[in-house]
């Protein structure tokens, strides 16, 4: 429980820092006040993030005394790494494109339902089965977070209309994200003897870097890379912000992939989708902000789900411990006889 708590604290802290830096990179005007320019090259940003994350994962592996095990790794596992990297690379553009056709609160509300596609993709694609209480907890958490976001006061700037095309792009983004997490679970289940969280982090980001770089270099009608290089030459201050963005994301991924390996994608996504809820709760108690009744109802549902999950997990551990003790006692009695 202590390890999981540390993972949650690490993910929340890194997500908060990463989000602030991401907003700084994408919204800060660079250059003269008379003609400010913003960094709008998101595929290049993802490429830099992947390269830094792969490098950090490699260092993490070496410091923990592990190796990449390229010779021992089955070819089918490399294909799975490439598959999950492809899903990860294709999911983000759908999210960025959706924001052009829907408002930000709708995007956040949709993201709060991410547990549902993760569960569905695990069941439909990889035929995994979960205990009944898992489905119940997913429904409670999704409903609770959705209520919390739905009753959050809208900012005056959120005036964009939600089009059917934008909602479709958001739906595709959620499905691909769900497929990504389900595939990661399947990799750990099928190739557990070859895979750790650090291995997954390295190979996923390495393959993701190759895919993003190939797209930027080989696409005949895309000059995003050239524009990004020219932008950095004109405004060198952006380089520091982009590198800081990549480093914060890479450190956050260390916690994410550790959680994914030891606790699975459902618990990981539960942590990430409840992040804003717990951040808002912290601000409520720290700055005495007010919540609406619907938001408190959402908080209650999330805590009920967490309580159910914790209680059942404790019961399962107690039962397993009792069975182990009983088995040991039987063996000792047989030896005495």
């Amino acid at each position: 429980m202590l390890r999981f708590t540390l993972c949650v604290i690490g993910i929340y802290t890194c997500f908060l820092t990463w989000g602030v830096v991401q907003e700084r990179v994408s919204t800060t005007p660079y250059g003269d006040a008379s003609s400010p320019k913003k960094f709008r090259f998101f595929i290049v940003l993802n490429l830099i993030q992947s390269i830094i994350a792969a490098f950090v994962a490699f260092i993490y592996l070496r410091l923990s005394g592990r190796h990449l095990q390229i010779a021992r790794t089955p070819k089918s596992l490399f294909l799975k790494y490439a598959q999950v990297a492809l899903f990860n690379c294709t999911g983000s553009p759908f999210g960025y494109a959706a924001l052009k056709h829907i408002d930000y609160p709708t995007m956040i509300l949709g993201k709060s339902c991410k547990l549902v596609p993760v569960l569905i993709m695990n069941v439909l694609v990889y035929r995994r089965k979960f205990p009944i209480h898992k489905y119940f907890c997913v429904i409670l958490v999704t409903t609770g977070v959705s209520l919390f976001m739905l009753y959050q006061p809208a900012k005056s700037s959120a005036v964009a209309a939600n089009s059917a095309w934008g909602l479709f792009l958001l739906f595709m983004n959620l499905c691909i994200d769900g497929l990504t997490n389900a595939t990661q679970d399947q990799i750990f289940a099928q190739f557990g003897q070859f895979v750790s969280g650090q291995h997954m982090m390295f190979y996923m980001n390495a393959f993701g870097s190759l895919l993003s770089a190939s797209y930027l270099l080989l696409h005949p009608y895309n000059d995003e890379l050239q524009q990004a290089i020219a932008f950095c030459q004109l405004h060198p201050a952006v380089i520091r912000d982009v590198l800081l963005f990549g480093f914060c994301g890479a450190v956050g991924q260390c916690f994410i992939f550790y959680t994914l390996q030891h606790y699975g994608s459902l618990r990981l996504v539960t942590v990430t989708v409840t992040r804003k809820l717990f951040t808002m709760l912290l601000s409520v108690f720290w700055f005495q902000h007010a919540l609406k009744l619907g938001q408190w109802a959402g908080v209650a549902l999330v805590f009920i789900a967490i309580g159910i999950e914790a209680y059942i997990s404790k019961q399962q551990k107690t039962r397993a411990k009792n069975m182990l003790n009983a088995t040991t006692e039987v063996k000792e009695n047989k030896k005495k006889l």
Side-chain angles (χ1 to χ4, degrees):
M1 191 63 186
L2 179 61
R3 287 193 306 172
F4 180 68
T5 303
L6 290 174
C7 287
V8 173
I9 293 171
I11 290 172
Y12 282 2
T13 304
C14 293
F15 258 87
L16 182 63
T17 309
W18 181 81
V20 170
V21 179
Q22 183 187 39
E23 185 175 359
R24 176 177 173 80
V25 171
S26 58
T27 62
T28 299
Y30 295 93
D32 298 332
S34 57
S35 58
K37 301 290 183 182
K38 293 182 180 180
F39 191 85
R40 297 296 191 188
F41 313 106
F42 296 114
I43 298 178
V44 172
L45 199 61
N46 286 342
L47 171 61
I48 295 169
Q49 166 82 87
S50 297
I51 292 172
I52 294 175
F55 179 74
V56 169
F58 180 76
I59 298 298
Y60 188 9
L61 274 168
R62 300 297 295 174
L63 290 176
S64 60
R66 298 179 180 178
H67 302 278
L68 292 177
Q69 300 175 339
I70 296 175
R72 290 184 62 241
T73 303
K75 291 182 180 179
S76 55
L77 179 54
F78 281 121
L79 290 175
K80 279 292 181 182
Y81 283 140
Q83 183 185 25
V84 77
L86 178 62
F87 291 151
N88 191 53
C89 287
T90 54
S92 297
F94 279 101
Y96 291 131
L99 272 175
K100 297 177 181 178
H101 304 279
I102 61 176
D103 56 38
Y104 190 69
T106 303
M107 183 74 170
I108 295 299
L109 186 61
K111 286 289 189 180
S112 70
C113 302
K114 188 180 174 181
L115 270 169
V116 176
V118 171
L119 186 67
I120 290 174
M121 291 300 175
N122 264 298
V123 173
L124 292 183
V125 179
Y126 296 112
R127 306 297 181 187
R128 296 188 69 203
K129 294 182 179 180
F130 298 94
I132 295 297
H133 78 274
K134 288 280 188 185
Y135 297 94
F136 184 61
C137 288
V138 164
I139 293 171
L140 284 179
V141 170
T142 301
T143 305
V145 176
S146 298
L147 276 173
F148 191 87
M149 300 302 176
L150 198 60
Y151 281 94
Q152 188 173 344
K155 294 181 181 179
S156 57
S157 58
V159 295
N162 296 320
S163 69
W165 176 244
L167 294 175
F168 171 75
L169 292 172
L170 175 59
F171 173 76
M172 290 299 299
N173 173 257
L174 290 173
C175 287
I176 294 171
D177 280 353
L179 193 56
T180 301
N181 288 121
T183 305
Q184 289 170 330
D185 277 342
Q186 198 260 346
I187 289 173
F188 281 119
Q190 185 177 349
F191 302 98
Q193 67 272 34
F194 301 105
V195 184
S196 68
Q198 299 96 322
H199 286 101
M200 171 100 52
M201 179 178 169
F202 173 80
Y203 282 113
M204 185 173 160
N205 282 288
F207 278 111
S209 300
L210 288 174
L211 290 170
S212 297
S214 298
Y215 174 81
L216 290 168
L217 292 171
L218 302 178
H219 196 297
Y221 303 107
N222 185 291
D223 61 346
E224 181 174 328
L225 181 60
Q226 291 82 357
Q227 289 186 40
I229 293 172
F231 188 95
C232 291
Q233 289 173 339
L234 285 173
H235 313 290
V238 75
I239 297 174
R240 179 200 59 198
D241 293 337
V242 168
L243 292 178
L244 184 60
F245 165 83
F247 179 74
C248 290
V251 174
Q253 283 191 36
C254 293
F255 290 101
I256 284 172
F257 281 97
Y258 183 89
T259 306
L260 185 65
Q261 177 188 358
H262 293 281
Y263 304 104
S265 64
L266 280 180
R267 191 172 287 192
L268 171 63
V269 176
T270 300
V271 172
T272 57
V273 300
T274 55
R275 174 183 60 90
K276 187 163 186 179
L277 181 146
F278 285 111
T279 304
M280 285 287 291
L281 277 181
L282 183 62
S283 73
V284 166
F285 293 111
W286 192 267
F287 298 106
Q288 276 133 39
H289 292 161
L291 290 182
K292 294 185 177 180
L293 182 61
Q295 289 181 296
W296 282 117
V299 170
L301 289 176
V302 170
F303 275 104
I304 289 171
I306 292 172
I308 292 172
E309 180 71 29
Y311 175 77
I312 293 178
S313 296
K314 186 177 180 180
Q315 291 295 313
Q316 289 174 342
K317 287 180 180 178
T318 304
R319 196 178 301 118
K321 186 178 180 180
N322 291 338
M323 287 179 65
L324 181 63
N325 291 338
T327 304
T328 305
E329 189 176 341
V330 168
K331 288 180 178 179
E332 288 178 354
N333 290 336
K334 283 183 178 180
K335 285 179 181 180
K336 290 178 181 179
L337 295 173

